Amino acid sequence: MRSPLNSPLEYGVRVLVMLTEAYPEQLDINHLVLLDHSVLHTAELGGPPSIHPSVPLHAGELGVRRASVEEGLQVMLRAGLVDMRASSAGIRYQAGDEAHSFVSSLEASYITELRDRSQWVVELFGRMSQEEVRQRTAAIFGLRPSENDDNDREEGTGAWNG
């Protein structure tokens, strides 16, 4: 049996909580990846104590986190708790009609902490533009955002252009 820790279900519940806190905002995958990282590591951002312990190599989390957030979104889409919207700005996600009721019915202390941190993170990052999300993500992961191409970044740090 697969562990529920770091599973698509755990990522899906986190994304659902964040989208519920952000409602009626619609967020793209890059925004959700930033929020997912931030909601777990709030203390590093000057917020409340972090839910998960700090790890030294955040840049290594990024690729895994994006794929995991996408898998979590798929779980919540199949459950009918998240809506996907296509627009000229790209694909965006929004809490579905039943999302708030579902999240409100969850009583574990982890969910309570997750809702508190999600509210804080959404207030901090919820209305950022795509460019601001990219810059903030680069800053969190120790990357130098470049306006042109990858030639301006620090050697060996990699780039995320998601």
Side-chain angles (χ1 to χ4, degrees), residues 92-132:
R92 301 202 177 266
Y93 302 92
Q94 182 180 40
D97 293 337
E98 302 298 321
H100 182 73
S101 297
F102 179 80
V103 169
S104 294
S105 72
L106 302 174
E107 296 181 5
S109 61
Y110 178 81
I111 297 299
T112 302
E113 289 185 36
L114 183 59
R115 289 180 75 185
D116 290 343
R117 298 327 185 273
S118 292
Q119 184 177 23
W120 185 84
V121 167
V122 166
E123 286 178 21
L124 190 64
F125 299 128
R127 296 185 185 261
M128 287 182 154
S129 69
Q130 288 182 358
E131 179 61 20
E132 290 170 319

Side-chain angles (χ1 to χ4, degrees), residues 3 42 68:
S3 169
T42 49
S68 297

Side-chain angles (χ1 to χ4, degrees), residues 46-110:
S50 297
I51 294 176
H52 289 193
S54 181
V55 293
L57 299 174
H58 291 305
E61 292 180 2
L62 190 56
V64 173
R65 185 172 308 278
R66 183 181 176 94
S68 297
V69 166
E70 288 174 336
E71 288 177 0
L73 275 167
Q74 291 303 314
V75 170
M76 293 299 133
L77 285 163
R78 283 192 300 271
L81 295 169
V82 169
D83 295 330
M84 183 172 63
R85 313 244 187 239
S87 71
S88 61
I91 296 174
R92 301 202 177 266
Y93 302 92
Q94 182 180 40
D97 293 337
E98 302 298 321
H100 182 73
S101 297
F102 179 80
V103 169
S104 294
S105 72
L106 302 174
E107 296 181 5
S109 61
Y110 178 81

Side-chain angles (χ1 to χ4, degrees), residues 16-31:
L16 182 62
V17 169
M18 292 181 293
L19 286 171
T20 301
E21 291 299 328
Y23 188 84
E25 294 294 321
Q26 298 175 9
L27 305 174
D28 69 5
I29 188 70
N30 296 331
H31 213 142

